[in-house]
Amino acid sequence: MSKIENGYLIDQAKGRDPDAFAELMQLYMQDMYRVALAILMNDEDAADAIQDTILACWEKIHTLRKREFFKTWLTRILINKCYDIRKKRRNCVELEEYAEPITEDKSDWEFREALESLDEKYRIIMTLFYSQGYRIDEIADMLKLPKSTVQTRLQRGRERLAVYYRKYG
Amino acid sequence: MERKIEEIFTAEVEMPEVVQKKAEEAFCRIRAKGERKMPKNHKVVPFQKKKKMHKKAAAVACICLLAVGGTTVAAAAHHYWSRGMEGLLQATDEQQAKLTDQGLATSVEEEPNLKAMAVTNNGVTVTPTQMIVDKYVAFITFSVTGYDLEDGKEPCFDDVMIDNKEFNASSSFYDGLIAGEDGFVVNADGSPVEEDADGSIISHYKAEDGSLTYQMLLQLNDPEDTIKGKELKVSFKNLGTVEKTEYSNVMDGEWDFTIPLTGKDVAKTYQTAQKIGDTGIVVDSVEISPISIHLTYDLSKKDSKADLGEANEDNAVPTFFGVKLKDGSLLYPLANGGNYGYTDDSQTAYESLFALDRVIEADQVEAILLQKNYPKTDADGGAHYEESDFFVIPLQ
């Protein structure tokens, strides 16, 4: 879909057209899933986070100032919803016990395997940088981290993956 | 290694059923709330402040008068136009007076009913100050007093809910910037803009007395309907600041209004029946008022192989861009947000409805301009159009 058509969908969604809004969300479903998975590491929680994000975006889309910020705005809401779910889960059970293996037998196993090989603090940054194409300053702004921390974690994430692939091919 | 990481993180992922299922549940809940639906196939373009547009130097008399520097014009303008209205709809003094006499515009001094609707909550007062209404569009301004906006910040309501299914609304706080004589943005008093360290234009949200202005543009969804005579039901919640996408709340509050939209239909309709070049598309009619324009098209004889111009390469219907006046000059871009699309399932009937960003002398319009090509780039980085970049559709 072209940028122009994307912009039209955003405009229509801001005009409270539910069909346009649904179409717009579907365009970003893959991106949302990658980010949610990177934080939550299981499909059920990722699904909840995405559902919460869709509903929150519908309530708030009229507050979006400029179309070009849509993806950043959406991602920011999603990250917050993921953190809310993670906080709730931690109150109930240890995360290591709760997280399901996500690799299973899926065609995108390399992505899932990469996520599993990384610590939590590297996963989201690697995903935002490589999958979503955000710059370091944008990631720092989104996650409320210093730029230097983002840079360091990105570098460490790369190193960890390099070690993993050297070891396991 | 870097390339491998990129490939892994950008490869398509298999979407689990549970994710799609929960997303669909969310969409069902949204639809079940019975939100307003747009007419079939209609696209909406909200108004956006034009920042670095460039127009031909031979821009017309009715724009030039507005942007003349100095206090005289600005002071006279405020007699009819409330603060912020010039950011929504530019007009000369004469045009402001004429619209007021015609009954489209409420005069700031002579419409106490609007001021009587003021709502105060938590020390902040929101007051409707003016409205300009024709058959299809309404421009409305509100003053916001009692909120001490921090310097350098952009004000924002946390929520603006409009409980009207009949129209679309675009709204924002007025930033004190308008389009100047040459099309580049200037401060409302005509002075050149200043930029901050990041190269962003410095806005002026606060008036001299510290008040803010909130602007709203309403556009009808259905051209068979009329906007005047309806009541705008709007609710503003909480007040704060915004930076890019992030809202920060400063104070809680709620300000609710039910505002009768009073105005006048002074539009003139031309049954043009004019072809758009050799495209086979016909502009059936043009309904033009000083503040809006409504076009109907017939696509039943559209030539699928015809050249629609580079701006319409995605097979779009050439859209309204401006007007040609009887003195030969061109006024563009004029559209201030709009609504367009097919009105039937066979996709042969098409309509568009646009608010204008400045008042025009409708009886001085000789032709309308539909966009054909993109502008040419100038040596100084600006851009301009030639008449050949448009499909020119005579009104008579």
Side-chain angles (χ1 to χ4, degrees):
Chain A
M1 173 156 299
S2 70
K3 239 184 182 175
I4 293 173
E5 286 170 309
N6 208 353
Y8 289 159
L9 278 179
I10 294 171
D11 292 339
Q12 285 186 285
K14 279 168 69 87
R16 309 305 281 172
D17 181 344
D19 294 328
F21 178 76
E23 195 178 337
L24 183 65
M25 287 290 119
Q26 292 288 8
L27 284 179
Y28 288 96
M29 202 63 75
Q30 281 257 328
D31 289 338
M32 285 198 281
Y33 176 60
R34 281 200 194 92
V35 169
L37 195 64
I39 298 174
L40 296 166
M41 293 300 279
N42 79 81
D43 288 345
E44 192 68 43
D45 283 350
D48 283 339
I50 291 171
Q51 186 183 70
D52 291 347
T53 300
I54 289 170
L55 293 169
C57 285
W58 175 251
E59 292 304 318
K60 295 276 182 192
I61 193 164
H62 62 280
T63 66
L64 177 65
R65 307 292 289 159
K66 290 171 188 166
R67 283 185 216 162
E68 55 264 35
F69 292 143
F70 175 76
K71 189 180 167 189
T72 307
W73 174 80
L74 172 70
T75 307
R76 198 192 289 270
I77 293 175
L78 173 64
I79 290 172
N80 288 338
K81 293 298 178 192
C82 287
Y83 287 162
D84 288 344
I85 287 175
R86 194 175 63 180
K87 211 187 301 185
K88 273 190 220 158
R89 299 283 181 240
R90 275 187 175 145
N91 289 340
C92 302
V93 71
E94 284 299 314
L95 191 66
E96 290 83 344
E97 290 172 19
Y98 184 77
E100 302 161 4
I102 57 165
T103 318
E104 293 178 9
D105 185 22
K106 294 192 188 291
S107 57
D108 49 12
W109 61 271
E110 277 192 310
F111 173 67
R112 295 165 190 273
E113 193 181 60
L115 288 183
E116 282 196 341
S117 70
L118 293 170
D119 286 350
E120 189 187 310
K121 58 184 181 235
Y122 305 126
R123 286 197 304 258
I124 180 60
I125 287 175
M126 294 286 282
T127 302
L128 289 174
F129 187 81
Y130 285 106
S131 294
Q132 307 303 310
Y134 287 110
R135 297 188 315 261
I136 287 175
D137 60 324
E138 288 172 323
I139 296 171
D141 191 40
M142 235 185 276
L143 300 181
K144 308 272 187 273
L145 292 171
K147 264 195 249 183
S148 55
T149 303
V150 173
Q151 269 165 330
T152 305
R153 289 186 184 176
L154 193 58
Q155 186 53 37
R156 299 236 167 99
R158 287 178 185 130
E159 287 163 7
R160 299 286 166 102
L161 273 182
V163 164
Y164 179 84
Y165 285 117
R166 267 199 303 272
K167 203 167 172 184
Y168 299 105
Chain B
M1 190 65 216
E2 182 73 6
R3 180 170 287 194
K4 183 167 172 71
I5 294 176
E6 268 180 40
E7 278 170 10
I8 290 168
F9 276 84
T10 54
E12 187 137 329
V13 290
E14 195 177 314
M15 194 67 60
E17 220 174 280
V18 64
V19 169
Q20 200 55 50
K21 182 166 169 279
K22 293 216 167 163
E24 285 301 327
E25 280 171 14
F27 299 139
C28 284
R29 276 161 69 173
I30 287 167
R31 287 190 184 98
K33 277 186 188 176
E35 293 286 350
R36 177 184 62 234
K37 265 192 187 239
M38 292 297 297
K40 193 169 184 164
N41 291 326
H42 273 223
K43 290 185 166 60
V44 173
V45 183
F47 89 91
Q48 293 185 0
K49 182 68 65 71
K50 291 183 272 281
K51 293 294 183 189
K52 286 285 186 184
M53 61 182 181
H54 185 108
K55 295 181 202 148
K56 281 180 86 159
V60 184
C62 57
I63 308 180
C64 290
L65 285 173
L66 218 211
V68 170
T71 54
T72 312
V73 170
H78 289 161
H79 176 68
Y80 293 104
W81 254 218
S82 63
R83 181 181 187 265
M85 188 55 83
E86 70 271 12
L88 266 182
L89 182 67
Q90 297 187 44
T92 62
D93 293 351
E94 290 79 8
Q95 287 169 332
Q96 291 179 31
K98 188 174 173 185
L99 254 63
T100 307
D101 291 342
Q102 284 178 320
L104 275 88
T106 57
S107 165
V108 176
E109 282 79 24
E110 292 161 14
E111 191 59 32
N113 288 341
L114 282 182
K115 290 190 182 148
M117 294 180 203
V119 174
T120 299
N121 192 229
N122 210 354
V124 171
T125 301
V126 180
T127 312
T129 46
Q130 190 169 29
M131 60 184 169
I132 301 169
V133 181
D134 76 356
K135 184 179 171 195
Y136 296 125
V137 303
F139 298 84
I140 305 168
T141 53
F142 298 80
S143 76
V144 178
T145 54
Y147 173 46
D148 187 16
L149 177 69
E150 196 184 323
D151 285 343
K153 295 286 188 185
E154 180 179 344
C156 185
F157 285 109
D158 184 19
D159 207 357
V160 178
M161 290 301 296
I162 291 175
D163 189 20
N164 290 89
K165 294 185 186 336
E166 313 91 307
F167 35 76
N168 287 308
S170 299
S171 60
S172 66
F173 275 96
Y174 174 56
D175 56 9
L177 303 171
I178 61 173
E181 185 175 325
D182 59 355
F184 282 90
V185 69
V186 295
N187 292 317
D189 64 4
S191 60
V193 297
E194 295 163 297
E195 292 179 359
D196 63 19
D198 294 330
S200 302
I201 293 173
I202 294 175
S203 303
H204 302 282
Y205 290 100
K206 288 197 276 198
E208 278 179 16
D209 61 1
S211 67
L212 308 174
T213 299
Y214 196 77
Q215 310 164 304
M216 191 173 282
L217 167 59
L218 307 176
Q219 295 179 85
L220 207 58
N221 281 333
D222 181 3
E224 311 251 319
D225 200 351
T226 177
I227 207 170
K228 66 181 185 65
K230 295 206 175 354
E231 286 187 334
L232 167 65
K233 298 183 183 71
V234 59
S235 172
F236 301 100
K237 282 195 175 64
N238 305 332
L239 199 42
T241 60
V242 69
E243 188 173 343
K244 286 190 186 174
T245 63
E246 188 109 16
Y247 170 78
S248 300
N249 197 48
V250 171
M251 58 175 305
D252 291 340
E254 184 166 339
W255 302 267
D256 297 338
F257 298 89
T258 299
I259 302 173
L261 298 172
T262 56
K264 199 81 179 282
D265 178 8
V266 298
K268 192 164 175 196
T269 302
Y270 299 88
Q271 302 298 337
T272 44
Q274 292 279 351
K275 290 183 189 167
I276 300 178
D278 57 3
T279 65
I281 303 172
V282 174
V283 175
D284 270 345
S285 68
V286 176
E287 190 180 354
I288 187 164
S289 93
I291 61 173
S292 69
I293 189 162
H294 171 224
L295 306 176
T296 61
Y297 300 67
D298 176 3
L299 275 73
S300 59
K301 294 186 173 64
K302 180 185 170 195
D303 179 355
S304 58
K305 295 195 183 69
D307 179 16
L308 293 164
E310 62 184 10
N312 306 305
E313 272 176 358
D314 57 351
N315 210 30
V317 177
T319 195
F320 171 72
F321 204 73
V323 298
K324 180 178 181 179
L325 299 181
K326 288 175 180 169
D327 65 5
S329 49
L330 306 182
L331 272 186
Y332 64 82
L334 278 187
N336 190 3
N339 180 342
Y340 50 90
Y342 294 99
T343 54
D344 66 340
D345 289 332
S346 65
Q347 299 199 345
T348 56
Y350 188 94
E351 287 186 46
S352 66
L353 174 58
F354 287 96
L356 304 182
D357 73 344
R358 74 199 77 150
V359 174
I360 60 170
E361 309 290 341
D363 56 4
Q364 293 301 310
V365 174
E366 180 180 275
I368 58 161
L369 307 174
L370 307 180
Q371 189 175 15
K372 185 175 174 186
N373 296 325
Y374 294 121
K376 313 286 183 292
T377 306
D378 298 329
D380 63 358
H384 75 275
Y385 287 90
E386 305 286 341
E387 192 167 323
S388 55
D389 292 320
F390 303 112
F391 292 109
V392 181
I393 309 295
L395 292 184
Q396 288 165 342

